[in-house]
Amino acid sequence: VLQSSTGQTLFRMDGLDSLTTLDGLILTGSTQSAVVVTGGTPRFFNCEFEGNSGQRGGAVVATDVVRIRIEYCVFRNNTAEENGGAVHITGMDTDAFDWGPFIGQSLFHNNSAQYGGALVIMGSAPTPQVVSSVFAENTASISGGAVLSQATDLYLNNCTFLRNTAETEDGFSAA
């Protein structure tokens, strides 16, 4: 268990390749996003993110990433002041197969933000994938109770959406 007693970010990852993997960690207590990723292709497996917060992406905020992979992770009770209560990904680049970020077999439960209660994916040239994941009881105060996808071609497959809410617009939003 890695807990931020002062609220600081627990990991900063800048330009790391796919050999960089966080596996089996529990990250909690950050008030400035638990993990901040800038560039690269890091991987997250079997991690649990609980009770983190930040301006964007309470658990994970990623910018200019190529093929970030998030698999078998749990995101619970994370909040963001603006976008992506649990995860905020923006400004992506393509890999050799024209795919973008991958999120699979993960649980997003009781996260909240203004936009994208659980997940925000914005401004992507490639196709981000979200597969076999569960989005339950996430809340957005404006739009995208579970997911907000903007300026990208999001690929969703075999996902379950249960009791996600957005107070002024819709539970899932794509533009």
Side-chain angles (χ1 to χ4, degrees):
V1 175
L2 295 174
Q3 181 169 4
S4 178
S5 60
T6 62
Q8 296 296 314
T9 297
L10 294 166
F11 286 98
R12 289 196 184 277
M13 303 175 153
D14 295 325
L16 301 175
D17 64 19
S18 63
L19 295 177
T20 304
T21 303
L22 295 183
D23 192 349
L25 299 177
I26 298 172
L27 296 98
T28 184
S30 175
T31 58
Q32 298 176 14
S33 301
V35 178
V36 175
V37 180
T38 306
T41 56
R43 302 179 312 162
F44 301 85
F45 294 119
N46 307 304
C47 291
E48 185 174 333
F49 298 83
E50 184 162 1
N52 298 290
S53 62
Q55 183 176 2
R56 295 184 182 109
V60 177
V61 60
T63 56
D64 302 324
V65 292
V66 177
R67 179 84 164 155
I68 187 172
R69 295 181 66 92
I70 299 171
E71 297 182 69
Y72 305 102
C73 291
V74 175
F75 297 88
R76 185 177 289 124
N77 302 323
N78 299 288
T79 60
E81 293 172 28
E82 295 176 8
N83 302 331
V87 178
H88 180 269
I89 302 173
T90 187
M92 298 157 275
D93 201 357
T94 60
D95 69 0
F97 302 102
D98 203 32
W99 288 102
F102 178 86
I103 298 172
Q105 300 85 26
S106 293
L107 170 66
F108 293 82
H109 180 252
N110 200 38
N111 300 288
S112 62
Q114 288 182 7
Y115 295 92
L119 172 64
V120 165
I121 297 180
M122 302 174 70
S124 168
T127 303
Q129 300 168 282
V130 180
V131 300
S132 302
S133 293
V134 175
F135 295 84
E137 299 177 330
N138 299 289
T139 305
S141 61
I142 299 176
S143 181
V147 177
L148 177 87
S149 171
Q150 190 172 40
T152 189
D153 294 324
L154 178 62
Y155 174 82
L156 284 170
N157 185 31
N158 198 35
C159 291
T160 301
F161 295 88
L162 179 68
R163 292 191 295 272
N164 298 286
T165 58
E167 294 181 22
T168 61
E169 293 183 19
D170 45 18
F172 177 88
S173 185

